[in-house]
Amino acid sequence: MKKPALYGYAGKIIRVDLDAGIFSLELTEKYAADWLGGSGTAWRILYNEVKPWMTPYAPANRLIFSAGPLVGTFAPGGSRMSADSINAMTLGVGSSNGDSFFGPSLKYAGYDHIIFQGRSRKPVYLWIDDDHIELRDASHLWGMTTWETADAIRQELGDNEHIYTVSIGPAGENLVRGACIIQHKGRAMGRCGLGSVMGSKNLKAIAVRGTGGIMLADPQRFLDAVLRLREMFRDSKAAKVYHEYGVPGILPAKQSLCGVPYKNFQSLQLPENLYRKLDYEEFVNKYQIRIIGYPGCPMPCSRIFKIHDGKYAGLETEGFWFEAMANFCGKLAVEDPTFQAKFNAYCNQLGLDLDLPSGAIAWAMECYQRGILSEDDTDGLKLEWGDAEVVLELARKIANREGFGAILAEGCAKAANMLGRGSEYYAMHVKGQDLYEVMRSAIGWGLGSCVSTRGGGHTTGAPVCETMMAMDKDKAFEVLGVTTPNEPLSYEGKVKLVEYYERFHRVCNALGICHFCTSWLDVKLPGFPELAELYSAATGWETTEQDLRRIATKILNVEKAFNLLHTNFDRKDDYPPPRVLAEPIPTGQFAGFHPTREKWDRLLDDYYEMNRWDKKTSFPTRRCLEDLGLDYIADDLEKVGKLGNED
Amino acid sequence: MEEREKEFSLGKVTFPTEKCGGCRTCELACSFHYTKLFQPSMSSIQIRNSPKPTVTFYRETAEGHIACDHCKGLSVPLCIEFCPSSSREELEKLFKAHMSAPRDSADQA
């Protein structure tokens, strides 16, 4: 194989002009060294090319898919893909991430990124077969679920094994604001409504097959590092639980620590009988037929369930995570455990992010409970808590923008704005994006989720360590630098945790590493030094933890500036929903507690100071940006009066 | 080893699998072993998920895949080394079966 320009990276970027129906190739090396890759490079491109007057569904908006430099190798968790664009829900930063075989295949075909711009006149899908790239008619696929689409594309291209797809379902086609992008049949690039951005471009799917290979700069060093890292997983109890049962295995801890949203966050624990019904080990033992995983992962946490009793008997589907459990049986209070598998599958088929219907329907149910909504508003449906049939019907209406579903399709924040009548208080969102995150019982988790650039979301800055009671505190101090990692109600050290994870998560998203395969899950798993070693060995560019942190801080500031140029977000939008600051936790060991406005103010002051942003407004200062080599961004922000004041 | 349906053709042997999670890390490790590239399209081990989950070992170089050299020189074959704990035991059995399977289709069990 010819010596590549870059090691680790595939080397090329495909740019697709959907207006003209043509594509061109660019070189990854333009961005790689300065931005790492993955969503890091994507945000560099988006900041430069997506101007403030562009809206999510404008043809000029770019939608970028990325596979980082470690994707397609056997780095632990190295199979994540990123999708980045304007956020359809918040109108600012939209960034979503998921794993599958699509990312590795894209790399083997020779590409690190795909940039879409414009809008196709009729439905199309992009077919990438190594060097061959083609836009194919997708009119016959339009209207299909993502499952039908994945099967139909493999069928028509004549390969049921090595072609991988990302696609949208009816939700994306109908511009449902919280529509997602599904990889194959069940891995979602879930949040930020990027499925609707894709739908707005008449882009139904992308299919890829890659037979090439990825070359590393120092293969032996890489292998040695990977083998060392895999030892860490063998010693990790959390990794073992995830592999043997899956993420919903954390339910007992979440229940004990008041971390399960019930009936739209009115309570933070499940009632005892429901908690017992949702015994997850029992569910796994009853319905699991196989554990499944993705390339490089030493602790695959997914599984296939086959439901053989109850209303959904016959359903065979990839499993679900804790978010599904918390959304469906918690926020919506549905008591049938098999509904978790059913609704998860249904949302995947429709191409609907779980948080969107859960957030909007939970809001609507609480409003119905309180007499703010009546059957006149809800197409005659009785929105009783826990009514699975109503939830399914509302999800169908949402995906098709039908009747009341058209309002819910906007997410609870916009729906509440449209409805008024005091319903806004019950809309649990941050910056317009529906929340699944419980914020009253874990301060760091709450802070990280609130300040996230993409709206309410826990994967760019929120720690999970606060709910890990059995933890090596010495190791935690060594990695995270705090003495209160698992004291959820303490304010001490939480800004430092968010600082760590804001950067660490961005490094993972740029490299293509799954957060679960890292110090996020367990401080004994790979952290900055280990990722720096993998990256150095892969690329041949000696990179330290400090180098990675600096690039991540750069990416964070680019995203922050993007939000400032595209939205009115400032300090006021970094607060949790009013309920969180007003209502005490009703039951459980933390009953009576809630963060206060005063304490949150202090957290934000400290957080902005840590980031070198103006405390009053949250705007980055010129010095902060220039130290990162982002002078042009300081100039852009100054032009619109959004440059922070130096202290 | 329990009786199984086996597909013999000159050059490769395919086994049905109950435990394989389809992660394909074995394919990555295998190609890496030969060329230091990650290029599953040429690996000696191939996972299929449809129509049914199977594991195939190439015993002769064919269809672009390199013949398995049993990871000579390594204490544990890389495919097994990288297999997740829930499926590794089965892969070890299948690997042994592939190493000892007859080479001639007339010798089918």
Side-chain angles (χ1 to χ4, degrees), chain A residues 161 164 211 214 243 290 296, chain B residues 20 24-25 38-39 41 49 86:
Chain A
E161 196 64 43
Y164 297 102
T211 65
I214 293 172
H243 183 42
R290 194 181 281 267
Chain B
C20 173
R24 300 184 186 273
T25 312
F38 297 105
Q39 191 170 8
S41 62
N49 291 305
S86 54

Side-chain angles (χ1 to χ4, degrees), chain A residues 34-35 503 546-558 611-613 620-633:
Chain A
D34 293 331
W35 299 95
R503 284 144 186 81
Q546 284 315 114
D547 294 329
L548 292 181
R549 278 177 178 269
R550 182 171 189 278
I551 296 179
T553 304
K554 231 171 49 164
I555 298 167
L556 168 65
N557 279 276
V558 169
N611 266 333
R612 304 174 70 196
W613 295 348
T621 60
R622 178 170 282 281
R623 231 182 345 193
C624 161
L625 294 168
E626 286 183 351
D627 284 352
L628 294 166
L630 301 176
D631 309 40
Y632 61 103
I633 293 185

